[in-house]
Short mmCIF file of all heavy atoms in Angstrom, two decimals:
data_model
loop_
_atom_site.label_atom_id
_atom_site.label_comp_id
_atom_site.label_asym_id
_atom_site.label_seq_id
_atom_site.Cartn_x
_atom_site.Cartn_y
_atom_site.Cartn_z
N ASN A 156 2.15 -16.07 32.42
CA ASN A 156 0.74 -15.97 32.88
C ASN A 156 -0.25 -16.29 31.88
O ASN A 156 0.10 -16.53 30.69
CB ASN A 156 0.57 -14.54 33.30
CG ASN A 156 0.57 -13.51 32.24
OD1 ASN A 156 -0.10 -13.55 31.26
ND2 ASN A 156 1.38 -12.42 32.40
N LEU A 157 -1.56 -16.33 32.19
CA LEU A 157 -2.65 -16.73 31.36
C LEU A 157 -3.44 -15.65 30.67
O LEU A 157 -4.52 -15.90 30.07
CB LEU A 157 -3.60 -17.74 31.96
CG LEU A 157 -3.03 -19.01 32.58
CD1 LEU A 157 -4.14 -19.78 33.38
CD2 LEU A 157 -2.40 -19.94 31.51
N SER A 158 -2.95 -14.46 30.72
CA SER A 158 -3.62 -13.27 30.30
C SER A 158 -3.51 -13.00 28.75
O SER A 158 -2.38 -13.22 28.30
CB SER A 158 -3.29 -12.02 31.11
OG SER A 158 -3.43 -12.21 32.47
N PHE A 159 -4.48 -12.59 28.17
CA PHE A 159 -4.42 -12.23 26.78
C PHE A 159 -4.33 -10.59 26.71
O PHE A 159 -3.76 -10.18 25.75
CB PHE A 159 -5.65 -12.65 26.09
CG PHE A 159 -5.70 -12.13 24.65
CD1 PHE A 159 -4.93 -12.78 23.67
CD2 PHE A 159 -6.67 -11.21 24.21
CE1 PHE A 159 -4.80 -12.28 22.34
CE2 PHE A 159 -6.54 -10.80 22.79
CZ PHE A 159 -5.75 -11.41 21.98
N ARG A 160 -4.93 -9.92 27.75
CA ARG A 160 -4.91 -8.42 27.67
C ARG A 160 -5.51 -7.95 26.42
O ARG A 160 -4.89 -7.34 25.61
CB ARG A 160 -3.48 -7.90 27.88
CG ARG A 160 -2.86 -8.42 29.21
CD ARG A 160 -1.49 -7.68 29.42
NE ARG A 160 -1.66 -6.27 29.70
CZ ARG A 160 -0.80 -5.40 29.01
NH1 ARG A 160 -0.05 -5.77 28.05
NH2 ARG A 160 -1.00 -4.11 29.28
N PRO A 161 -6.86 -8.13 26.22
CA PRO A 161 -7.51 -7.86 24.96
C PRO A 161 -7.50 -6.35 24.68
O PRO A 161 -7.59 -5.98 23.48
CB PRO A 161 -8.97 -8.34 25.17
CG PRO A 161 -9.12 -8.40 26.67
CD PRO A 161 -7.78 -8.67 27.21
N PHE A 162 -7.30 -5.43 25.60
CA PHE A 162 -7.43 -3.99 25.27
C PHE A 162 -6.00 -3.41 25.21
O PHE A 162 -5.90 -2.15 25.01
CB PHE A 162 -8.27 -3.31 26.28
CG PHE A 162 -9.69 -3.66 26.27
CD1 PHE A 162 -10.18 -4.65 27.27
CD2 PHE A 162 -10.58 -3.33 25.27
CE1 PHE A 162 -11.52 -5.14 27.25
CE2 PHE A 162 -11.90 -3.75 25.19
CZ PHE A 162 -12.33 -4.68 26.19
N ALA A 163 -5.05 -4.16 25.40
CA ALA A 163 -3.66 -3.57 25.33
C ALA A 163 -3.35 -3.26 23.85
O ALA A 163 -3.81 -3.80 22.99
CB ALA A 163 -2.68 -4.71 25.90
N THR A 164 -2.35 -2.34 23.77
CA THR A 164 -1.91 -1.92 22.43
C THR A 164 -0.87 -3.10 21.93
O THR A 164 -0.53 -3.89 22.71
CB THR A 164 -1.15 -0.68 22.45
OG1 THR A 164 -0.06 -0.74 23.43
CG2 THR A 164 -2.00 0.46 22.84
N VAL A 165 -0.55 -2.89 20.62
CA VAL A 165 0.24 -3.95 20.02
C VAL A 165 1.47 -3.28 19.32
O VAL A 165 1.31 -2.19 18.62
CB VAL A 165 -0.55 -4.67 18.88
CG1 VAL A 165 0.18 -5.86 18.41
CG2 VAL A 165 -1.89 -5.20 19.51
N SER A 166 2.57 -3.91 19.53
CA SER A 166 3.75 -3.21 18.88
C SER A 166 3.97 -3.67 17.44
O SER A 166 3.35 -4.79 17.00
CB SER A 166 5.02 -3.72 19.64
OG SER A 166 5.40 -5.08 19.39
N ARG A 167 4.66 -2.93 16.68
CA ARG A 167 4.95 -3.27 15.29
C ARG A 167 5.58 -4.61 15.10
O ARG A 167 5.33 -5.37 14.23
CB ARG A 167 5.76 -2.17 14.63
CG ARG A 167 5.03 -0.86 14.52
CD ARG A 167 6.00 0.17 13.94
NE ARG A 167 5.28 1.56 13.72
CZ ARG A 167 5.69 2.46 12.89
NH1 ARG A 167 6.72 2.24 12.21
NH2 ARG A 167 4.98 3.50 12.68
N ALA A 168 6.50 -4.93 16.12
CA ALA A 168 7.28 -6.22 16.03
C ALA A 168 6.24 -7.38 16.12
O ALA A 168 6.33 -8.44 15.37
CB ALA A 168 8.29 -6.28 17.09
N VAL A 169 5.36 -7.26 16.99
CA VAL A 169 4.30 -8.23 17.30
C VAL A 169 3.44 -8.45 16.05
O VAL A 169 3.14 -9.61 15.61
CB VAL A 169 3.36 -8.03 18.50
CG1 VAL A 169 2.22 -8.82 18.66
CG2 VAL A 169 4.19 -8.13 19.79
N VAL A 170 3.06 -7.32 15.46
CA VAL A 170 2.26 -7.37 14.28
C VAL A 170 3.00 -8.07 13.03
O VAL A 170 2.47 -8.85 12.28
CB VAL A 170 1.59 -6.01 13.81
CG1 VAL A 170 1.13 -6.06 12.47
CG2 VAL A 170 0.72 -5.44 14.84
N ALA A 171 4.21 -7.64 12.95
CA ALA A 171 4.96 -8.32 11.81
C ALA A 171 5.16 -9.75 12.02
O ALA A 171 4.98 -10.52 11.02
CB ALA A 171 6.51 -7.70 11.85
N THR A 172 5.50 -10.18 13.26
CA THR A 172 5.54 -11.67 13.46
C THR A 172 4.23 -12.32 13.24
O THR A 172 4.18 -13.39 12.64
CB THR A 172 6.00 -11.96 14.97
OG1 THR A 172 7.23 -11.22 15.12
CG2 THR A 172 6.16 -13.38 15.13
N ALA A 173 3.04 -11.81 13.76
CA ALA A 173 1.84 -12.38 13.55
C ALA A 173 1.46 -12.61 12.07
O ALA A 173 0.95 -13.53 11.60
CB ALA A 173 0.84 -11.61 14.31
N LEU A 174 1.72 -11.41 11.32
CA LEU A 174 1.35 -11.40 9.93
C LEU A 174 2.25 -12.40 9.17
O LEU A 174 1.63 -13.18 8.24
CB LEU A 174 1.52 -10.01 9.25
CG LEU A 174 0.90 -9.72 7.99
CD1 LEU A 174 -0.50 -10.04 7.92
CD2 LEU A 174 1.30 -8.28 7.62
N ILE A 175 3.46 -12.57 9.46
CA ILE A 175 4.28 -13.51 8.63
C ILE A 175 3.88 -14.97 9.03
O ILE A 175 3.72 -15.82 8.10
CB ILE A 175 5.68 -13.41 9.21
CG1 ILE A 175 6.40 -12.14 8.59
CG2 ILE A 175 6.58 -14.59 8.69
CD1 ILE A 175 6.19 -11.90 7.10
N ASN A 176 3.35 -15.13 10.33
CA ASN A 176 2.98 -16.56 10.65
C ASN A 176 1.51 -16.86 10.02
O ASN A 176 1.34 -17.96 9.67
CB ASN A 176 2.76 -16.62 12.16
CG ASN A 176 4.16 -16.71 12.93
OD1 ASN A 176 5.08 -17.17 12.31
ND2 ASN A 176 4.27 -16.25 14.15
N VAL A 177 0.70 -15.86 9.97
CA VAL A 177 -0.60 -16.23 9.45
C VAL A 177 -0.57 -16.34 7.87
O VAL A 177 -1.24 -17.11 7.29
CB VAL A 177 -1.65 -15.02 9.84
CG1 VAL A 177 -1.38 -13.76 8.92
CG2 VAL A 177 -3.08 -15.52 9.67
N LEU A 178 0.37 -15.70 7.32
CA LEU A 178 0.45 -15.87 5.80
C LEU A 178 1.41 -17.12 5.41
O LEU A 178 1.48 -17.44 4.28
CB LEU A 178 1.15 -14.54 5.34
CG LEU A 178 0.12 -13.44 5.19
CD1 LEU A 178 0.77 -12.22 4.80
CD2 LEU A 178 -1.06 -13.61 4.49
N LYS A 179 2.19 -17.53 6.47
CA LYS A 179 3.21 -18.55 6.24
C LYS A 179 4.14 -18.19 5.11
O LYS A 179 4.44 -18.93 4.07
CB LYS A 179 2.48 -19.93 5.85
CG LYS A 179 1.95 -20.53 7.19
CD LYS A 179 1.59 -21.96 6.88
CE LYS A 179 1.16 -22.57 8.30
NZ LYS A 179 0.88 -24.10 8.19
N LEU A 180 4.69 -16.93 5.26
CA LEU A 180 5.61 -16.51 4.27
C LEU A 180 7.03 -17.05 4.41
O LEU A 180 7.39 -17.23 5.69
CB LEU A 180 5.74 -15.01 4.19
CG LEU A 180 4.56 -14.26 3.70
CD1 LEU A 180 4.71 -12.77 4.03
CD2 LEU A 180 4.13 -14.58 2.35
N PRO A 181 7.76 -17.44 3.49
CA PRO A 181 9.18 -17.87 3.75
C PRO A 181 9.98 -16.83 4.29
O PRO A 181 9.90 -15.68 3.80
CB PRO A 181 9.62 -18.34 2.32
CG PRO A 181 8.77 -17.55 1.37
CD PRO A 181 7.37 -17.45 2.00
N LYS A 182 10.67 -17.12 5.30
CA LYS A 182 11.39 -16.00 6.03
C LYS A 182 12.62 -15.65 5.39
O LYS A 182 13.42 -16.33 4.71
CB LYS A 182 11.78 -16.58 7.47
CG LYS A 182 10.69 -16.71 8.41
CD LYS A 182 10.95 -17.06 9.83
CE LYS A 182 9.68 -17.20 10.72
NZ LYS A 182 10.11 -17.51 12.08
N SER A 183 12.97 -14.22 5.61
CA SER A 183 14.11 -13.62 4.94
C SER A 183 14.96 -13.20 6.09
O SER A 183 14.38 -12.53 7.03
CB SER A 183 13.75 -12.45 3.99
OG SER A 183 14.86 -11.86 3.50
#
C-alpha cells in the first residue's frame, strides 16, 4: 500500500534498521 501511517508506533527492529541505514555502518 501507499500509506506511511505517520501516527503509528515504531518497533525496535525498525529503528535499528533505519539507524544503521542512515549512518551507513558496516554490518555485523
